[in-house]
Amino acid sequence: MVEQGSGPLVLLLHGFPESWYAWRHQLAALASAGYRAVAIDVRGYGRSSKPEAVEAYRMLDLVADNVAVVEGLGERSAVVVGHDWGATIAAMSTLTRPDVFRAVGLLGVPYTPPGGPRPSEVFVRMGGGGAGDEPGAAPRSRPQEFYVSYFQRPGRAEAEVEPDVRGWLAGFYAALSADTMPAPGAPDPHFTGAGGTLRERFPVGVLPSWLGERDLDVFAGEFERTGMTGALNRYRNMDRDWADLAGWAGRPITRPSLFIGGERDASLAWLADAVKAYPETLPGLLGSHILDGCGHFVQQERPEETNRILLDWLASLPA
């Protein structure tokens, strides 16, 4: 956990495959504006705890972690802001514990209320598979496998990533960043071919402009020390989350909210209907911003613009 400043608490939650360091550009800006900015390593990452059991990474456990952080800091409430998986964790924290989280900022991944089809079935269909294809198993009928399905079987993605963590991360970050992502028509890096790997579709030998060699060293160094299993276990609990959150199915987040997305982020294409549904699902939405020419890593690709939007939003919140 890294903390800067004093004032109202703003809790920052990173995504996959990152760490608190993803918020390095926001910490000082928030502190200078009079906020207590706290960026944590989510369970399974960096210096946080890493339980062995896969089921220890279910969403409600991560919500409880966030509540414990707020209480451990001596606070009663916080604004929570998340990117990627952190956005979903922030949303579920606010949905299930609105008594603690008084506002939520979502970066990259739109809010989708709990419920709907079982997630594993959705992800299999995204790869072109049918009902007979089990997540994480060798594909029988689908020509491609969506990365979330690919991550399901323990050990498989680890075997791809861990022999060369730094190289894999460099390729992953480049694949999802606006200035280095594959050209239109190239094989989609969010999918594998039958029996293939994700890395086969990543750009090679190039870093996005937001990522310096030292930055890559920081991200890679933590995963080289810890391995990837804790981070990947978040994906392995999506069906458990679906069951755990059934009591909140279809519910809107009524607390004040914010969304910032990258115009070139695939998440916006996959979840376009979720953005259109914001009047119903996020009735407290105070701003929705799509950054032109931006990829997935919003607050790192466009730090100054993200900071301005965040600070304007925070200033608009009720005391």
Side-chain angles (χ1 to χ4, degrees):
M1 184 173 72
V2 175
E3 177 179 353
Q4 290 189 36
S6 60
L9 177 60
V10 180
L11 183 64
L12 303 169
L13 308 177
H14 66 82
F16 175 89
E18 301 172 281
S19 70
W20 73 266
Y21 190 72
W23 298 103
R24 61 196 177 280
H25 301 298
Q26 284 67 52
L27 287 162
L30 289 167
S32 296
Y35 297 96
R36 185 181 187 186
V38 174
I40 66 171
D41 284 335
V42 174
R43 180 185 295 216
Y45 289 82
R47 310 289 161 158
S48 190
S49 63
K50 298 166 191 65
E52 291 188 10
V54 173
E55 59 269 23
Y57 295 83
R58 60 210 310 157
M59 182 61 71
L60 289 179
D61 287 332
L62 301 181
V63 171
D65 288 347
N66 294 337
V67 173
V69 168
V70 173
E71 294 175 348
L73 291 168
E75 303 281 359
R76 299 181 62 182
S77 68
V79 174
V80 61
V81 179
H83 169 256
D84 184 75
W85 258 123
T88 304
I89 298 168
M92 294 303 114
S93 296
T94 309
L95 178 68
T96 62
R97 293 301 306 270
D99 56 317
V100 176
F101 299 102
R102 63 186 182 93
V104 60
L106 309 176
L107 276 62
V109 176
Y111 173 60
T112 302
R118 185 182 295 273
S120 58
E121 296 172 357
V122 173
F123 298 132
V124 164
R125 289 197 296 270
M126 288 183 72
D133 286 322
E134 292 296 325
R140 294 195 296 272
S141 63
R142 59 185 182 274
Q144 300 189 102
E145 187 173 13
F146 190 50
Y147 77 99
V148 178
S149 295
Y150 178 75
F151 286 166
Q152 293 303 303
R153 191 170 75 228
R156 180 163 64 157
E158 288 92 331
E160 175 184 339
V161 180
E162 290 178 355
D164 178 19
V165 169
R166 194 177 193 279
W168 193 91
L169 290 177
F172 183 93
Y173 298 146
L176 275 63
S177 298
D179 59 342
T180 48
M181 63 177 53
D188 190 333
H190 298 91
F191 295 81
T192 70
T197 65
L198 290 170
R199 187 171 184 169
E200 291 169 355
R201 299 185 173 190
F202 292 167
V204 177
V206 61
L207 291 181
S209 58
W210 61 266
L211 184 72
E213 295 287 350
R214 179 183 175 278
D215 301 320
L216 182 57
D217 288 343
V218 173
F219 287 126
E222 290 294 76
F223 289 113
E224 288 168 350
R225 183 177 59 82
T226 66
M228 297 297 297
T229 298
L232 290 163
N233 279 345
R234 174 82 288 275
Y235 292 92
R236 295 165 183 161
N237 278 280
M238 296 181 76
D239 281 355
R240 291 187 183 93
D241 298 339
W242 178 77
D244 290 346
L245 294 165
W248 288 272
R251 290 195 191 178
I253 292 174
T254 58
R255 290 295 195 185
S257 56
L258 169 74
F259 178 71
I260 310 173
E263 176 253 336
R264 300 192 64 192
D265 188 343
S267 297
L268 287 185
W270 301 329
L271 297 172
D273 288 343
V275 175
K276 292 177 183 177
Y278 278 170
E280 290 76 39
T281 62
L282 292 177
L285 186 68
L286 299 177
S288 181
H289 305 263
I290 307 300
L291 307 187
D292 290 343
C294 183
H296 180 66
F297 300 99
V298 178
Q299 78 272 32
Q300 298 179 86
E301 291 188 50
R302 297 287 184 80
E304 294 182 1
E305 193 170 358
T306 299
N307 291 350
R308 178 183 57 76
I309 294 169
L310 278 175
L311 292 174
D312 287 348
W313 173 67
L314 288 166
S316 75
L317 296 176

